[in-house]
């Protein structure tokens, strides 16, 4: 059994060395089983951004979709007549206006029976019968939560494309997303990448009255009021630099939801552009739209801005191109956000912090100094106060640190300043376990037992005390990891790995050494 324990200790030590070679030497290779320990934002620098997600926009968008698509289609299918459907200015109610009372009564009966996620009430609008539709509280909560979840997933996809190592992206509260990007050297580009809505839309431009060089000129064509269901969209002509404005339907003829790929390409003038590809369903819709509207303009909009409005010359199916005043980096970032998908609702930056690489290096330096000073103090105390047995505890302590660092590398965990604090705390707990064992052994020696018997009895009696204290702390670490975020999770990970390794080194490693010392000292054990 003892020989097996020695083999296990040697094997674990060898594994630890293998996993720490990349961290110590900087060696990296795909075939090698380990990678360097990932450093957190506070140790290597980077950016920390808190995004506010406009979850209320998801509710107003739901009402808008109902007014422009669902209600016209469903009412036509059910032979229900109505005049218009309008979303309130605050985006929290939909009003359906009818020509007469009979039309309203028929619609109310249908909506109350079938559209159960809405509260349907009667009211008057512009002196005519109307119905007001408001979403139920459960539906509102679902839309808000889903918008936050989708926004987090989209940002996560974009960051994955940006090749940031070990990013942290998590929700905070009811309408915030925290993004932590270690090692980012261009915060401006990263902010643009994660915060851009990237809503790609295709809209037909119908008639000359829908275009003008100024907003005022465009409004004059409509006597100062844009028709219901339409809006004004700006356009920047990349060739002349002149601003222009279009009036188009709010509802797109086709959206970017059908994209399967987006890559950097070049336009006819060899300027960077973005080539995109539709899936089968999107290609069929695109072909139908372009085939039915030859010699008409089709505007390509991104986040509500017209990038180009080319004239359709022939039927197009599954491919297209977005042109504009792009640098190659701009085109690359646009392709990334289009591949990752549009954010379901707009976001804005509530908080932003950038940690410089120098500050991160300084944090590492201070953490290492505190670790070395604390470690040397503990090693000297154990060696002086407990002599040979204390020296065995020191060896186990060094192995404990190696196991923690190797564990971080093995599991791909991220080391942060709180994580370093967790390692130091673990060292203290490991020493505490050795103090309990050594005092037990001393007590047995005072009672007249031989060194071998004293070591065996001391370890047996200290076992459950050590397990009890470490298991209790382990439960706390698991809770911290489960419910904590960011640096708190880093602390919990290092603490958990440290607790497991400290139990092993205290109970197994030091016992093997102590038993061998006891055998060589039949009558006297230095402790």
């Amino acid at each position: 059994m003892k020989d097996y324990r020695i083999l296990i200790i040697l094997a674990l030590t060898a594994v630890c060395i293998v996993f720490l070679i990349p961290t110590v030497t900087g060696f990296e290779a795909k075939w090698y089983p380990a990678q360097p320990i990932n450093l957190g934002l506070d140790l290597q620098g980077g950016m920390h951004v808190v995004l506010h997600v406009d979850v209320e926009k998801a509710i107003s968008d739901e009402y808008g979709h109902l007014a422009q698509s669902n209600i016209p289609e469903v009412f036509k299918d059910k032979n229900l007549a109505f005049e218009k459907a309008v979303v309130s200015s605050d985006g929290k109610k939909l009003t359906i206006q009818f020509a007469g009372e009979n039309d309203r009564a028929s619609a109310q009966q249908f909506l109350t029976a079938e559209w159960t996620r809405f509260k349907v009430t009667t009211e008057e609008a512009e002196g005519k019968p109307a119905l007001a539709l408001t979403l139920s509280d459960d539906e509102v909560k679902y839309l808000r939560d889903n918008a936050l979840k989708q926004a987090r997933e989209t940002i996560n996809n974009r960051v994955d494309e940006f090749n940031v190592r070990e990013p942290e992206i998590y929700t905070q509260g009811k309408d915030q997303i925290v993004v932590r990007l270690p090692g980012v050297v261009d915060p401006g580009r990263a902010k643009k990448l994660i915060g851009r809505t990237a809503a790609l839309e295709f809209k037909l431009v119908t008639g000359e009255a829908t275009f003008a060089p100024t907003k005022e000129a465009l409004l004059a064509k409509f006597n100062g009021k844009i028709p219901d269901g339409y809006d004004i969209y700006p356009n920047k002509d990349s060739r002349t630099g002149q601003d222009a404005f279009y009036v188009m339907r709010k509802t797109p003829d086709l959206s970017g939801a059908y994209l399967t790929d987006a890559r950097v390409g070049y336009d006819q003038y060899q300027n960077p552009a973005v080539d995109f590809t539709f899936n089968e369903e999107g290609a069929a819709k695109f072909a139908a739209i372009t085939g039915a509207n030859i010699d008409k303009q089709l505007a390509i909009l991104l986040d509500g801005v017209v990038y180009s409005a080319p004239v359709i010359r022939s039927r197009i199916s599954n491919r297209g191109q977005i042109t504009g005043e792009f640098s190659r980096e701009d085109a690359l970032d646009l392709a990334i956000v289009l591949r990752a998908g549009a954010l379901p609702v707009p976001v804005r930056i509530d908080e932003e912090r950038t940690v410089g690489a120098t500050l991160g290096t300084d944090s590492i330096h201070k953490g290492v100094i505190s670790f070395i000073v604390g470690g040397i103090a503990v090693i000297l105390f154990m060696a002086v106060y407990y002599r040979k047995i204390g020296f065995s505890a020191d060896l186990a302590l060094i192995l404990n640190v190696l196991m923690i660092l190797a564990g971080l590398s093995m599991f791909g965990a991220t080391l942060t300043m709180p994580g370093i604090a967790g390692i130091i705390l673990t060292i203290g707990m490991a020493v505490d376990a050795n103090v309990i064992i050594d005092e037990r052994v001393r007590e047995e020696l005072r009672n007249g037992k031989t060194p071998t018997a004293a070591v065996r009895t001391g370890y047996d009696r200290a076992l459950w005390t050590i397990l009890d204290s470490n298991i209790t702390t382990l439960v706390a670490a698991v809770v911290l990891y489960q419910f904590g975020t960011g640096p708190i999770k880093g602390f919990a990970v290092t603490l958990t790995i440290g607790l497991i390794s400290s139990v092993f080194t205290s109970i197994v490693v030091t016992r093997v050494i102590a038993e061998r010392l006891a055998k060589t000292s039949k009558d006297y054990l230095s402790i």
Side-chain angles (χ1 to χ4, degrees), residues 38-45 166 168 180 182-183 414-417:
N38 300 311
L39 299 181
L41 181 68
D42 49 359
L43 295 182
Q44 67 167 314
E166 294 301 317
E168 293 181 60
R180 295 168 60 86
T414 301
L415 182 62
T416 61
M417 278 299 291

Side-chain angles (χ1 to χ4, degrees), residues 352-366:
E352 176 191 352
R353 295 199 306 269
T354 301
V355 180
T358 303
L359 183 59
T361 303
D362 187 53
S363 297
I364 295 175
H365 178 71
K366 289 180 179 178

Side-chain angles (χ1 to χ4, degrees), residues 200 202 255-262 276-279 282 322 338-339:
L200 181 65
F202 301 85
S255 74
Y258 300 99
L259 289 186
T260 57
D261 194 19
F276 57 85
T277 307
F278 287 114
N279 61 18
I322 304 172
L338 289 177
R339 283 199 302 272

Side-chain angles (χ1 to χ4, degrees), residues 82 86 142 173 217 236 276 285 294 357 371-372 433 494:
F82 78 105
V86 182
Y142 168 78
K236 184 88 170 180
F276 57 85
K285 290 178 180 288
I294 292 176
F371 173 76
I372 291 174
T494 53

Side-chain angles (χ1 to χ4, degrees), residues 444-445 448-456 518 521-523:
E444 297 302 323
L445 288 171
K449 290 189 176 180
T450 63
T452 301
V455 167
R456 182 171 57 253
S521 308
K522 294 184 179 180
D523 299 320

